[in-house]
PDB file of all heavy atoms in Angstrom:
ATOM      1  N   SER A  23    -165.140 -63.727-196.652  1.00  0.00           N
ATOM      2  CA  SER A  23    -166.195 -64.477-197.320  1.00  0.00           C
ATOM      3  C   SER A  23    -167.382 -63.573-197.557  1.00  0.00           C
ATOM      4  O   SER A  23    -167.586 -62.583-196.877  1.00  0.00           O
ATOM      5  CB  SER A  23    -166.594 -65.658-196.451  1.00  0.00           C
ATOM      6  OG  SER A  23    -167.154 -65.175-195.262  1.00  0.00           O
ATOM      7  N   GLY A  24    -168.180 -63.902-198.522  1.00  0.00           N
ATOM      8  CA  GLY A  24    -169.350 -63.075-198.804  1.00  0.00           C
ATOM      9  C   GLY A  24    -169.096 -62.116-199.950  1.00  0.00           C
ATOM     10  O   GLY A  24    -170.025 -61.607-200.564  1.00  0.00           O
ATOM     11  N   SER A  25    -167.819 -61.858-200.266  1.00  0.00           N
ATOM     12  CA  SER A  25    -167.547 -60.863-201.287  1.00  0.00           C
ATOM     13  C   SER A  25    -168.032 -61.327-202.665  1.00  0.00           C
ATOM     14  O   SER A  25    -168.630 -60.564-203.406  1.00  0.00           O
ATOM     15  CB  SER A  25    -166.067 -60.556-201.326  1.00  0.00           C
ATOM     16  OG  SER A  25    -165.335 -61.738-201.477  1.00  0.00           O
ATOM     17  N   GLN A  26    -167.802 -62.605-202.973  1.00  0.00           N
ATOM     18  CA  GLN A  26    -168.246 -63.112-204.264  1.00  0.00           C
ATOM     19  C   GLN A  26    -169.769 -63.042-204.355  1.00  0.00           C
ATOM     20  O   GLN A  26    -170.325 -62.587-205.327  1.00  0.00           O
ATOM     21  CB  GLN A  26    -167.794 -64.566-204.468  1.00  0.00           C
ATOM     22  CG  GLN A  26    -166.680 -64.686-205.490  1.00  0.00           C
ATOM     23  CD  GLN A  26    -165.340 -64.362-204.860  1.00  0.00           C
ATOM     24  OE1 GLN A  26    -165.251 -64.315-203.639  1.00  0.00           O
ATOM     25  NE2 GLN A  26    -164.323 -64.129-205.654  1.00  0.00           N
ATOM     26  N   ALA A  27    -170.377 -63.496-203.242  1.00  0.00           N
ATOM     27  CA  ALA A  27    -171.838 -63.543-203.239  1.00  0.00           C
ATOM     28  C   ALA A  27    -172.419 -62.161-203.505  1.00  0.00           C
ATOM     29  O   ALA A  27    -173.466 -62.021-204.124  1.00  0.00           O
ATOM     30  CB  ALA A  27    -172.326 -64.072-201.902  1.00  0.00           C
ATOM     31  N   LEU A  28    -171.738 -61.142-203.024  1.00  0.00           N
ATOM     32  CA  LEU A  28    -172.254 -59.794-203.226  1.00  0.00           C
ATOM     33  C   LEU A  28    -171.981 -59.297-204.643  1.00  0.00           C
ATOM     34  O   LEU A  28    -172.437 -58.225-205.024  1.00  0.00           O
ATOM     35  CB  LEU A  28    -171.611 -58.828-202.217  1.00  0.00           C
ATOM     36  CG  LEU A  28    -172.106 -58.998-200.783  1.00  0.00           C
ATOM     37  CD1 LEU A  28    -171.231 -58.215-199.824  1.00  0.00           C
ATOM     38  CD2 LEU A  28    -173.549 -58.538-200.665  1.00  0.00           C
ATOM     39  N   GLY A  29    -171.195 -60.066-205.414  1.00  0.00           N
ATOM     40  CA  GLY A  29    -170.979 -59.732-206.820  1.00  0.00           C
ATOM     41  C   GLY A  29    -170.107 -58.514-207.035  1.00  0.00           C
ATOM     42  O   GLY A  29    -170.227 -57.813-208.027  1.00  0.00           O
ATOM     43  N   PHE A  30    -169.212 -58.255-206.094  1.00  0.00           N
ATOM     44  CA  PHE A  30    -168.417 -57.039-206.224  1.00  0.00           C
ATOM     45  C   PHE A  30    -167.430 -57.093-207.390  1.00  0.00           C
ATOM     46  O   PHE A  30    -167.003 -56.077-207.889  1.00  0.00           O
ATOM     47  CB  PHE A  30    -167.617 -56.780-204.940  1.00  0.00           C
ATOM     48  CG  PHE A  30    -168.453 -56.330-203.780  1.00  0.00           C
ATOM     49  CD1 PHE A  30    -167.992 -56.499-202.501  1.00  0.00           C
ATOM     50  CD2 PHE A  30    -169.686 -55.729-203.963  1.00  0.00           C
ATOM     51  CE1 PHE A  30    -168.750 -56.072-201.421  1.00  0.00           C
ATOM     52  CE2 PHE A  30    -170.438 -55.308-202.905  1.00  0.00           C
ATOM     53  CZ  PHE A  30    -169.976 -55.487-201.626  1.00  0.00           C
ATOM     54  N   PHE A  31    -167.012 -58.301-207.765  1.00  0.00           N
ATOM     55  CA  PHE A  31    -165.873 -58.361-208.693  1.00  0.00           C
ATOM     56  C   PHE A  31    -166.261 -58.367-210.158  1.00  0.00           C
ATOM     57  O   PHE A  31    -165.446 -58.267-211.032  1.00  0.00           O
ATOM     58  CB  PHE A  31    -164.994 -59.570-208.357  1.00  0.00           C
ATOM     59  CG  PHE A  31    -164.527 -59.483-206.952  1.00  0.00           C
ATOM     60  CD1 PHE A  31    -164.924 -60.402-206.003  1.00  0.00           C
ATOM     61  CD2 PHE A  31    -163.741 -58.422-206.557  1.00  0.00           C
ATOM     62  CE1 PHE A  31    -164.524 -60.271-204.700  1.00  0.00           C
ATOM     63  CE2 PHE A  31    -163.341 -58.290-205.248  1.00  0.00           C
ATOM     64  CZ  PHE A  31    -163.729 -59.216-204.313  1.00  0.00           C
ATOM     65  N   ASP A  32    -167.531 -58.518-210.426  1.00  0.00           N
ATOM     66  CA  ASP A  32    -167.923 -58.473-211.831  1.00  0.00           C
ATOM     67  C   ASP A  32    -169.040 -57.455-212.016  1.00  0.00           C
ATOM     68  O   ASP A  32    -169.962 -57.647-212.748  1.00  0.00           O
ATOM     69  CB  ASP A  32    -168.337 -59.860-212.334  1.00  0.00           C
ATOM     70  CG  ASP A  32    -169.289 -60.511-211.347  1.00  0.00           C
ATOM     71  OD1 ASP A  32    -169.832 -59.778-210.501  1.00  0.00           O
ATOM     72  OD2 ASP A  32    -169.460 -61.715-211.412  1.00  0.00           O
ATOM     73  N   ASP A  33    -168.908 -56.369-211.287  1.00  0.00           N
ATOM     74  CA  ASP A  33    -169.925 -55.326-211.341  1.00  0.00           C
ATOM     75  C   ASP A  33    -169.706 -54.464-212.589  1.00  0.00           C
ATOM     76  O   ASP A  33    -168.751 -53.701-212.662  1.00  0.00           O
ATOM     77  CB  ASP A  33    -169.787 -54.470-210.058  1.00  0.00           C
ATOM     78  CG  ASP A  33    -170.764 -53.310-210.041  1.00  0.00           C
ATOM     79  OD1 ASP A  33    -171.509 -53.164-211.028  1.00  0.00           O
ATOM     80  OD2 ASP A  33    -170.755 -52.571-209.055  1.00  0.00           O
ATOM     81  N   PRO A  34    -170.563 -54.588-213.588  1.00  0.00           N
ATOM     82  CA  PRO A  34    -170.319 -53.865-214.833  1.00  0.00           C
ATOM     83  C   PRO A  34    -170.418 -52.349-214.653  1.00  0.00           C
ATOM     84  O   PRO A  34    -169.878 -51.594-215.437  1.00  0.00           O
ATOM     85  CB  PRO A  34    -171.417 -54.375-215.770  1.00  0.00           C
ATOM     86  CG  PRO A  34    -172.474 -54.939-214.883  1.00  0.00           C
ATOM     87  CD  PRO A  34    -171.815 -55.335-213.597  1.00  0.00           C
ATOM     88  N   ALA A  35    -171.123 -51.934-213.573  1.00  0.00           N
ATOM     89  CA  ALA A  35    -171.280 -50.489-213.391  1.00  0.00           C
ATOM     90  C   ALA A  35    -170.063 -49.859-212.726  1.00  0.00           C
ATOM     91  O   ALA A  35    -169.967 -48.654-212.603  1.00  0.00           O
ATOM     92  CB  ALA A  35    -172.508 -50.229-212.535  1.00  0.00           C
ATOM     93  N   ASN A  36    -169.142 -50.712-212.269  1.00  0.00           N
ATOM     94  CA  ASN A  36    -167.979 -50.175-211.565  1.00  0.00           C
ATOM     95  C   ASN A  36    -166.966 -49.621-212.567  1.00  0.00           C
ATOM     96  O   ASN A  36    -166.362 -50.370-213.333  1.00  0.00           O
ATOM     97  CB  ASN A  36    -167.344 -51.304-210.739  1.00  0.00           C
ATOM     98  CG  ASN A  36    -166.141 -50.796-209.965  1.00  0.00           C
ATOM     99  OD1 ASN A  36    -165.776 -49.635-210.089  1.00  0.00           O
ATOM    100  ND2 ASN A  36    -165.545 -51.673-209.181  1.00  0.00           N
ATOM    101  N   PRO A  37    -166.759 -48.304-212.573  1.00  0.00           N
ATOM    102  CA  PRO A  37    -165.849 -47.732-213.562  1.00  0.00           C
ATOM    103  C   PRO A  37    -164.379 -47.955-213.219  1.00  0.00           C
ATOM    104  O   PRO A  37    -163.499 -47.675-214.021  1.00  0.00           O
ATOM    105  CB  PRO A  37    -166.195 -46.239-213.517  1.00  0.00           C
ATOM    106  CG  PRO A  37    -166.695 -46.008-212.130  1.00  0.00           C
ATOM    107  CD  PRO A  37    -167.300 -47.301-211.668  1.00  0.00           C
ATOM    108  N   MET A  38    -164.116 -48.453-212.003  1.00  0.00           N
ATOM    109  CA  MET A  38    -162.728 -48.583-211.548  1.00  0.00           C
ATOM    110  C   MET A  38    -162.124 -49.869-212.085  1.00  0.00           C
ATOM    111  O   MET A  38    -162.067 -50.864-211.426  1.00  0.00           O
ATOM    112  CB  MET A  38    -162.679 -48.614-210.033  1.00  0.00           C
ATOM    113  CG  MET A  38    -163.373 -47.448-209.365  1.00  0.00           C
ATOM    114  SD  MET A  38    -162.506 -45.927-209.634  1.00  0.00           S
ATOM    115  CE  MET A  38    -160.937 -46.357-208.971  1.00  0.00           C
ATOM    116  N   LYS A  39    -161.723 -49.891-213.311  1.00  0.00           N
ATOM    117  CA  LYS A  39    -161.206 -51.115-213.917  1.00  0.00           C
ATOM    118  C   LYS A  39    -159.755 -50.896-214.353  1.00  0.00           C
ATOM    119  O   LYS A  39    -159.331 -49.795-214.635  1.00  0.00           O
ATOM    120  CB  LYS A  39    -162.030 -51.482-215.155  1.00  0.00           C
ATOM    121  CG  LYS A  39    -163.466 -51.827-214.833  1.00  0.00           C
ATOM    122  CD  LYS A  39    -163.605 -53.285-214.476  1.00  0.00           C
ATOM    123  CE  LYS A  39    -165.048 -53.572-214.125  1.00  0.00           C
ATOM    124  NZ  LYS A  39    -165.228 -54.760-213.358  1.00  0.00           N
ATOM    125  N   GLU A  40    -159.049 -52.000-214.498  1.00  0.00           N
ATOM    126  CA  GLU A  40    -157.726 -52.047-215.107  1.00  0.00           C
ATOM    127  C   GLU A  40    -156.824 -50.899-214.676  1.00  0.00           C
ATOM    128  O   GLU A  40    -156.508 -50.776-213.520  1.00  0.00           O
ATOM    129  CB  GLU A  40    -157.858 -52.111-216.641  1.00  0.00           C
ATOM    130  CG  GLU A  40    -158.769 -53.225-217.121  1.00  0.00           C
ATOM    131  CD  GLU A  40    -158.266 -54.607-216.738  1.00  0.00           C
ATOM    132  OE1 GLU A  40    -157.043 -54.806-216.753  1.00  0.00           O
ATOM    133  OE2 GLU A  40    -159.078 -55.484-216.391  1.00  0.00           O
TER     134      GLU A  40
END
Side-chain angles (χ1 to χ4, degrees):
S23 65
S25 54
Q26 252 81 14
L28 288 169
F30 288 158
F31 302 115
D32 47 16
D33 177 358
N36 181 358
M38 306 291 303
K39 295 273 178 200
E40 307 298 323

